[in-house]
Amino acid sequence: MTSESPRLRPAVPGDYDRIVAVVDDWWGRPVRSNLPRLFLDHFHRTSLVAENAGEPAGFLVGFLSPSMPDCAYIHFAGVAPPFRGGGLARRLYESFFALAAAGHRTRVRAITSPRNSASIAFHTAMGFSVTGPVAGYDGPAVDRVVFDKRLPRP
Ligand SMILES: CC(C)(COP(=O)(O)OP(=O)(O)OC[C@H]1O[C@@H](n2cnc3c(N)ncnc32)[C@H](O)[C@@H]1OP(=O)(O)O)[C@@H](O)C(=O)NCCC(=O)NCCS
């Protein structure tokens, strides 16, 4: 990892193009169809970007559930390969936990593909419970691992 410490800031809709341009590379497989523009247009106020020298080093796209008043949800988060292993994803998640708690949320949820062992290890390290793989979670033959974390009450 590099010696600089990326700066965290709230996302803006204009971040979309730079983020979607790197996600296939960061994930090592095609994932960009999971991140349509609507997520930055409509959820940028609860999403975060980590920047280094003006370039994205990491990001988190999340929202406060409009339908589950106790719940916040992390849809997509990633860290550029050179910045991995230095606690950047932890910083992004902890900033989102603070934002969720300020919005009176008591739990945070996320899901991942069963093949994404890095995501499962990361969420386990971050204190999420891990359920699954849940067969057919996202429709026929689309299994998902489900993460859930209770936030401490303020
Ligand atoms: C998963 C990912 C976000 C982790 O980012 P990161 O900045 O390297 O993670 P951190 O350095 O903040 O690690 C936080 C904790 O998770 C653990 N962790 C992170 N990646 C891990 C891995 N691949 N295997 C095992 N543990 C891992 C760390 O050991 C650390 O634990 P600790 O704080 O108890 O020491 C990053 O590898 C990534 O972007 N992967 C590709 C995209 C992806 O799969 N995203 C899904 C995650 S939501």
Side-chain angles (χ1 to χ4, degrees):
M1 101 148 212
T2 68
S3 56
E4 298 97 26
S5 181
R7 187 179 65 94
L8 264 54
R9 61 164 174 81
V12 294
D15 289 319
Y16 178 75
D17 294 287
R18 287 194 308 164
I19 290 173
V20 82
V22 296
V23 289
D24 289 357
D25 181 38
W26 289 10
W27 263 252
R29 59 192 167 92
V31 295
R32 67 170 64 168
S33 62
N34 295 318
L35 191 63
R37 187 178 295 275
L38 73 88
F39 281 100
L40 269 294
D41 280 350
H42 294 282
F43 300 117
H44 62 271
R45 290 168 106 182
T46 50
S47 299
L48 298 154
V49 172
E51 265 183 342
N52 186 70
E55 295 298 323
F59 70 90
L60 182 156
V61 173
F63 55 87
L64 308 186
S65 172
S67 302
M68 300 173 69
D70 64 333
C71 188
Y73 187 85
I74 296 173
H75 173 63
F76 230 53
V79 167
F83 290 94
R84 289 182 190 163
L88 184 52
R90 177 178 283 281
R91 283 174 63 203
L92 286 162
Y93 266 60
E94 288 178 348
S95 294
F96 184 78
F97 296 161
L99 187 155
H104 309 291
R105 308 303 162 121
T106 55
R107 60 200 309 167
V108 178
R109 289 187 180 168
I111 61 168
T112 201
S113 162
R115 69 154 87 162
N116 195 339
S117 54
S119 176
I120 295 167
F122 167 71
H123 285 89
T124 302
M126 292 301 299
F128 284 79
S129 66
V130 179
T131 304
V134 180
Y137 181 91
D138 268 337
V142 184
D143 306 348
R144 293 288 181 249
V145 175
V146 178
F147 305 120
D148 189 293
K149 179 181 172 73
R150 287 204 171 274
L151 298 177
R153 290 197 178 271

